[in-house]
Amino acid sequence: MSNRRNTINRFTIKMQKKLLILFMFILAAFAGLSARLFLINRDNGEDYKKQVLSQQEYDSTTIPFKRGEIVDSNGTVLAVSNKVYNVILDANLLMQDEKNLEPTLSALKKIFNIDTNTVRTYIAEHPNSAYYVMAKRVEYEKKVAFEDLQKDPEQGKNIKGVWFEDEYRREYPNGSLACDVIGFTTSDNVGTYGLEEYYNDILCGTNGREYGYLNDDSTLERTTVPAKDGYNIQTTIDANIQAIVEKYLKAFNEEYKDSVRPGNGAETLGCIIMEVNTGNVLAMADYPVFDLNDTRNEQNLIGMPLLDKDGKKVKPAECVTQEAIRGMNDQVMYQHLNALWKNHCIVDSYEPGSVAKPFTVAAAIESGAITGNETYLCEGKLHVGDHDIKCHQIYGDGRISVQEGIERSCNVVLMNVAFALGKERFVDYQHLFGFGLKTNIDLAGEARTDTMVFNKDNIGPTDLATNSFGQSFNVTMIQTAAGFCSLINGGYYYEPHVVSRITTADGATIENVEPRILKQTISNTTSETIREFCNTVVTGEHGTGHTARPAGYIIGGKTGTAETLPRGNKEYVVSFLGYAPADDPQIVIYVVVDRPNAYPQDDAKYATKIVRNILTEVLPYLNIFMTEELTDKEREELEELQIQIRTPQGAQTEELDEEGNLVNPQEGTEEETQEGEEQEGTEEETEEDTEDREAWRDFPKDPATGYLIDPATGNFVDPELGTVMGGGSLIDDATEGEEGAEGTGEGTEPGDTPGGSEPTATE
């Protein structure tokens, strides 16, 4: 035990000696290092201090990425980021010699118009500063002009302490074109609205960095990590078609603004053109528009509905005026700008009106509830529950077939079709067609409408009746257009989209966005039947859409009119949902006019005439050729528009002679007609009944409007269709329907109850 203790003591003493020696060596080394640092600081400290300070300001700088371009389907640039420069002052370097001050300030004033007094004040307060931004986002030409001045042997020798920092500025070469589709960016390069927001992560790249450091010889070395630019996106939008659409929306506004009330030609105007067999959106526009390079220009607000601080329309309705703008605080101004910037085609919901009728008929035929050959007796109204719901043709259409019900837009026929279908299947098909669901179009801000349609638990007989002709439930334009494509293309529901390709800055393809078929809504046979029915809306004797047909073409479609809330206010949303050409649909066009600035408002011609004007230019552009002879009037109209109608070489069947007639026109096949099957228990219509219903034809004409006037009521009557115009609510003893979801261009908030206990019947 004693030996072990002695061993431990000897070991401990030995280790202590070693540790003491090691400590002395470390202490000596530290003393030597301290002495060396003292000598360096004494002899060269000031030089190193300047280098370190310089390195802090200059040699760890950000290299900005370039945001990707947005181009149309033909490669036309819609959005681009161009390099600009921030003008930076190194006050410390400038003031190393005071004789540099005045020449430098003079050059800054001359080239950039910089306030020299502000710069003088900054230099006085921050003499050691090496980074002060004097001007932001100056153009390349000005930068070159300043650099040339610096190189001048006389003027430039005393221009010191100024350098340039790279930056990018987002620019939109076409101004307001497709503004609601494109969106814009904030000052910090973040996308807002439209494609800029939806594809922000794709369009954005990664900043680079330039690092500086001192080598062994105290020389500044640089290491650069380059920026990675954002990807480009190519859209399905065709800038030429988009421009045509916007031209005619603007023309409508110019024609009707301040007509009946102060304000724009309508509260909102919207148009979508889609390819039937791909889901590609060729054009999407609404009015009013704004300049993407000047998004906060308040003059664009003039004529819009006046809003309160919560973004709701003021009551009674007013429009934005110059005086109103001067009285707006920041919150109210933001509400108006937000209303201007949003894309009404995907954000706002409204009651679609009779454009929903083909969907109801398609569901009934596809489910086997009807064959499509049935006939129903329309006496101007139908008793449902506790109400008499009237047809828009209040004099009655008589006994007509389902096809004629679409052609004439008869509410009574559609209500009977919906009753045959039943509420459960009706709701199922509404969801199948996409009503109440997002389409997932690749644009920011698409509205949810799941609470704006009925479900099987809350739909009643009256709701079913009014839903059948597009009242008491809400949709968006993109929902309706996408669903309608499936009605006429064989039943294939394509997901609508706006981007077709994503590429790198040098053109390499990252991703092709292929058309996506999500489901089949109806069979090809049912689709053919719906096309036949909708064709008669434009070509039939009693069709409501005659005025939508462009010269030389046959198209199909459906008109729509929906009365807004509160019921009986005589305010309407009118529309036309069509396709061209009629025999082989290639495109769908949907135009919605929300509360036209005219009286009466419930006239679908406000929409059909816009469609006609647009298609007159768009169809030849798309190489969709004429099949119908032109009248002299139509030829004169085309000559006035200076539209060159192109035909494919060798296509003799579509060549026009000097008189506008077709050379060797294709012979059309006669449509097979089928007699409608009469419902059991219905009353036969007599010749006397028919004469009574046609009595409106003898009404006197109002020379100011061109409408007929019903002597008994004073209501306007359409001289072609016998439709009562501006007659107010068409349901007996109808209340204002305060519980319903308002069919307006302003949209309805999620959570609102669809429909209402007191719906109205409209065309």
Side-chain angles (χ1 to χ4, degrees), residues 491-512:
Y492 301 104
Y493 187 100
Y494 286 89
E495 181 178 68
H497 61 279
V498 183
V499 168
S500 61
R501 194 159 62 115
I502 300 172
T503 65
T504 62
D506 58 4
T509 299
I510 299 298
E511 180 183 355
N512 282 315

mmCIF file of all heavy atoms in Angstrom, residues 491-512:
data_model
loop_
_atom_site.group_PDB
_atom_site.id
_atom_site.type_symbol
_atom_site.label_atom_id
_atom_site.label_comp_id
_atom_site.label_asym_id
_atom_site.label_seq_id
_atom_site.Cartn_x
_atom_site.Cartn_y
_atom_site.Cartn_z
ATOM 1 N N GLY A 491 -68.442 15.867 -74.195
ATOM 2 C CA GLY A 491 -68.577 15.561 -72.779
ATOM 3 C C GLY A 491 -67.286 15.596 -71.983
ATOM 4 O O GLY A 491 -67.276 15.252 -70.807
ATOM 5 N N TYR A 492 -66.184 16.051 -72.592
ATOM 6 C CA TYR A 492 -64.882 15.998 -71.930
ATOM 7 C C TYR A 492 -64.602 17.317 -71.218
ATOM 8 O O TYR A 492 -64.514 18.372 -71.846
ATOM 9 C CB TYR A 492 -63.780 15.689 -72.930
ATOM 10 C CG TYR A 492 -64.010 14.369 -73.638
ATOM 11 C CD1 TYR A 492 -64.475 14.345 -74.951
ATOM 12 C CD2 TYR A 492 -63.808 13.165 -72.978
ATOM 13 C CE1 TYR A 492 -64.719 13.142 -75.596
ATOM 14 C CE2 TYR A 492 -64.046 11.959 -73.617
ATOM 15 C CZ TYR A 492 -64.507 11.949 -74.917
ATOM 16 O OH TYR A 492 -64.758 10.759 -75.542
ATOM 17 N N TYR A 493 -64.431 17.233 -69.901
ATOM 18 C CA TYR A 493 -64.173 18.420 -69.084
ATOM 19 C C TYR A 493 -62.676 18.620 -68.961
ATOM 20 O O TYR A 493 -61.981 17.845 -68.311
ATOM 21 C CB TYR A 493 -64.803 18.271 -67.702
ATOM 22 C CG TYR A 493 -64.730 19.521 -66.854
ATOM 23 C CD1 TYR A 493 -65.826 20.359 -66.739
ATOM 24 C CD2 TYR A 493 -63.563 19.872 -66.174
ATOM 25 C CE1 TYR A 493 -65.759 21.521 -65.973
ATOM 26 C CE2 TYR A 493 -63.477 21.021 -65.412
ATOM 27 C CZ TYR A 493 -64.583 21.841 -65.313
ATOM 28 O OH TYR A 493 -64.517 22.986 -64.561
ATOM 29 N N TYR A 494 -62.180 19.668 -69.612
ATOM 30 C CA TYR A 494 -60.764 20.016 -69.545
ATOM 31 C C TYR A 494 -60.534 21.042 -68.440
ATOM 32 O O TYR A 494 -61.325 21.970 -68.270
ATOM 33 C CB TYR A 494 -60.283 20.613 -70.868
ATOM 34 C CG TYR A 494 -60.115 19.616 -71.974
ATOM 35 C CD1 TYR A 494 -61.173 19.301 -72.825
ATOM 36 C CD2 TYR A 494 -58.891 18.977 -72.189
ATOM 37 C CE1 TYR A 494 -61.027 18.387 -73.858
ATOM 38 C CE2 TYR A 494 -58.728 18.067 -73.222
ATOM 39 C CZ TYR A 494 -59.796 17.771 -74.048
ATOM 40 O OH TYR A 494 -59.643 16.861 -75.060
ATOM 41 N N GLU A 495 -59.453 20.874 -67.711
ATOM 42 C CA GLU A 495 -59.085 21.868 -66.722
ATOM 43 C C GLU A 495 -58.619 23.129 -67.456
ATOM 44 O O GLU A 495 -57.686 23.073 -68.262
ATOM 45 C CB GLU A 495 -57.954 21.347 -65.841
ATOM 46 C CG GLU A 495 -57.526 22.308 -64.753
ATOM 47 C CD GLU A 495 -56.428 21.719 -63.884
ATOM 48 O OE1 GLU A 495 -55.303 21.549 -64.403
ATOM 49 O OE2 GLU A 495 -56.698 21.409 -62.712
ATOM 50 N N PRO A 496 -59.258 24.269 -67.209
ATOM 51 C CA PRO A 496 -58.824 25.487 -67.904
ATOM 52 C C PRO A 496 -57.453 25.934 -67.415
ATOM 53 O O PRO A 496 -57.137 25.809 -66.233
ATOM 54 C CB PRO A 496 -59.914 26.502 -67.535
ATOM 55 C CG PRO A 496 -60.475 26.010 -66.248
ATOM 56 C CD PRO A 496 -60.384 24.516 -66.293
ATOM 57 N N HIS A 497 -56.638 26.428 -68.322
ATOM 58 C CA HIS A 497 -55.313 26.883 -67.923
ATOM 59 C C HIS A 497 -54.843 28.014 -68.830
ATOM 60 O O HIS A 497 -55.353 28.186 -69.948
ATOM 61 C CB HIS A 497 -54.299 25.733 -67.925
ATOM 62 C CG HIS A 497 -54.106 25.101 -69.264
ATOM 63 N ND1 HIS A 497 -54.959 24.156 -69.780
ATOM 64 C CD2 HIS A 497 -53.153 25.285 -70.207
ATOM 65 C CE1 HIS A 497 -54.546 23.776 -70.977
ATOM 66 N NE2 HIS A 497 -53.458 24.454 -71.261
ATOM 67 N N VAL A 498 -53.872 28.771 -68.340
ATOM 68 C CA VAL A 498 -53.389 29.958 -69.037
ATOM 69 C C VAL A 498 -51.919 29.827 -69.432
ATOM 70 O O VAL A 498 -51.444 30.559 -70.282
ATOM 71 C CB VAL A 498 -53.597 31.217 -68.161
ATOM 72 C CG1 VAL A 498 -53.169 32.478 -68.877
ATOM 73 C CG2 VAL A 498 -55.059 31.340 -67.754
ATOM 74 N N VAL A 499 -51.186 28.902 -68.849
ATOM 75 C CA VAL A 499 -49.767 28.715 -69.170
ATOM 76 C C VAL A 499 -49.582 27.389 -69.891
ATOM 77 O O VAL A 499 -50.124 26.359 -69.480
ATOM 78 C CB VAL A 499 -48.902 28.766 -67.894
ATOM 79 C CG1 VAL A 499 -47.483 28.281 -68.171
ATOM 80 C CG2 VAL A 499 -48.866 30.189 -67.341
ATOM 81 N N SER A 500 -48.823 27.433 -70.980
ATOM 82 C CA SER A 500 -48.590 26.229 -71.780
ATOM 83 C C SER A 500 -47.177 25.678 -71.644
ATOM 84 O O SER A 500 -46.945 24.508 -71.888
ATOM 85 C CB SER A 500 -48.868 26.525 -73.259
ATOM 86 O OG SER A 500 -47.992 27.541 -73.734
ATOM 87 N N ARG A 501 -46.222 26.551 -71.244
ATOM 88 C CA ARG A 501 -44.834 26.081 -71.211
ATOM 89 C C ARG A 501 -44.019 26.926 -70.239
ATOM 90 O O ARG A 501 -44.243 28.129 -70.113
ATOM 91 C CB ARG A 501 -44.215 26.156 -72.614
ATOM 92 C CG ARG A 501 -42.907 25.403 -72.783
ATOM 93 C CD ARG A 501 -42.653 25.105 -74.252
ATOM 94 N NE ARG A 501 -42.524 26.308 -75.035
ATOM 95 C CZ ARG A 501 -41.395 26.685 -75.660
ATOM 96 N NH1 ARG A 501 -40.320 25.920 -75.580
ATOM 97 N NH2 ARG A 501 -41.351 27.779 -76.371
ATOM 98 N N ILE A 502 -43.065 26.277 -69.579
ATOM 99 C CA ILE A 502 -42.113 26.952 -68.700
ATOM 100 C C ILE A 502 -40.716 26.691 -69.257
ATOM 101 O O ILE A 502 -40.351 25.546 -69.525
ATOM 102 C CB ILE A 502 -42.225 26.430 -67.256
ATOM 103 C CG1 ILE A 502 -43.639 26.678 -66.706
ATOM 104 C CG2 ILE A 502 -41.187 27.091 -66.362
ATOM 105 C CD1 ILE A 502 -43.893 26.026 -65.362
ATOM 106 N N THR A 503 -39.938 27.761 -69.450
ATOM 107 C CA THR A 503 -38.623 27.630 -70.063
ATOM 108 C C THR A 503 -37.571 28.371 -69.255
ATOM 109 O O THR A 503 -37.887 29.241 -68.441
ATOM 110 C CB THR A 503 -38.620 28.187 -71.504
ATOM 111 O OG1 THR A 503 -38.851 29.601 -71.463
ATOM 112 C CG2 THR A 503 -39.692 27.521 -72.347
ATOM 113 N N THR A 504 -36.323 28.040 -69.506
ATOM 114 C CA THR A 504 -35.210 28.770 -68.905
ATOM 115 C C THR A 504 -34.977 30.055 -69.689
ATOM 116 O O THR A 504 -35.572 30.281 -70.747
ATOM 117 C CB THR A 504 -33.930 27.929 -68.916
ATOM 118 O OG1 THR A 504 -33.573 27.654 -70.285
ATOM 119 C CG2 THR A 504 -34.128 26.621 -68.178
ATOM 120 N N ALA A 505 -34.066 30.881 -69.180
ATOM 121 C CA ALA A 505 -33.773 32.147 -69.849
ATOM 122 C C ALA A 505 -33.216 31.936 -71.251
ATOM 123 O O ALA A 505 -33.423 32.773 -72.137
ATOM 124 C CB ALA A 505 -32.793 32.959 -69.007
ATOM 125 N N ASP A 506 -32.516 30.814 -71.492
ATOM 126 C CA ASP A 506 -31.963 30.561 -72.819
ATOM 127 C C ASP A 506 -32.874 29.713 -73.693
ATOM 128 O O ASP A 506 -32.470 29.248 -74.756
ATOM 129 C CB ASP A 506 -30.584 29.915 -72.707
ATOM 130 C CG ASP A 506 -30.623 28.599 -71.931
ATOM 131 O OD1 ASP A 506 -31.727 28.161 -71.552
ATOM 132 O OD2 ASP A 506 -29.541 28.018 -71.701
ATOM 133 N N GLY A 507 -34.114 29.480 -73.244
ATOM 134 C CA GLY A 507 -35.101 28.825 -74.093
ATOM 135 C C GLY A 507 -35.291 27.342 -73.879
ATOM 136 O O GLY A 507 -36.150 26.730 -74.524
ATOM 137 N N ALA A 508 -34.531 26.722 -73.006
ATOM 138 C CA ALA A 508 -34.688 25.289 -72.752
ATOM 139 C C ALA A 508 -36.003 25.040 -72.009
ATOM 140 O O ALA A 508 -36.341 25.751 -71.063
ATOM 141 C CB ALA A 508 -33.517 24.760 -71.938
ATOM 142 N N THR A 509 -36.746 24.041 -72.445
ATOM 143 C CA THR A 509 -38.049 23.745 -71.856
ATOM 144 C C THR A 509 -37.894 23.012 -70.529
ATOM 145 O O THR A 509 -37.230 21.981 -70.446
ATOM 146 C CB THR A 509 -38.901 22.895 -72.812
ATOM 147 O OG1 THR A 509 -39.114 23.639 -74.020
ATOM 148 C CG2 THR A 509 -40.244 22.560 -72.189
ATOM 149 N N ILE A 510 -38.509 23.564 -69.508
ATOM 150 C CA ILE A 510 -38.534 22.931 -68.187
ATOM 151 C C ILE A 510 -39.780 22.061 -68.044
ATOM 152 O O ILE A 510 -39.725 20.952 -67.521
ATOM 153 C CB ILE A 510 -38.511 23.993 -67.076
ATOM 154 C CG1 ILE A 510 -37.233 24.830 -67.170
ATOM 155 C CG2 ILE A 510 -38.637 23.353 -65.703
ATOM 156 C CD1 ILE A 510 -35.962 24.038 -66.988
ATOM 157 N N GLU A 511 -40.900 22.578 -68.542
ATOM 158 C CA GLU A 511 -42.157 21.836 -68.409
ATOM 159 C C GLU A 511 -43.128 22.260 -69.503
ATOM 160 O O GLU A 511 -43.278 23.451 -69.787
ATOM 161 C CB GLU A 511 -42.798 22.095 -67.044
ATOM 162 C CG GLU A 511 -44.114 21.361 -66.824
ATOM 163 C CD GLU A 511 -44.761 21.680 -65.489
ATOM 164 O OE1 GLU A 511 -44.131 22.403 -64.684
ATOM 165 O OE2 GLU A 511 -45.897 21.229 -65.249
ATOM 166 N N ASN A 512 -43.755 21.297 -70.128
ATOM 167 C CA ASN A 512 -44.874 21.547 -71.029
ATOM 168 C C ASN A 512 -46.165 21.262 -70.276
ATOM 169 O O ASN A 512 -46.316 20.190 -69.681
ATOM 170 C CB ASN A 512 -44.801 20.660 -72.268
ATOM 171 C CG ASN A 512 -43.791 21.162 -73.280
ATOM 172 O OD1 ASN A 512 -43.743 22.353 -73.579
ATOM 173 N ND2 ASN A 512 -42.978 20.261 -73.817
#
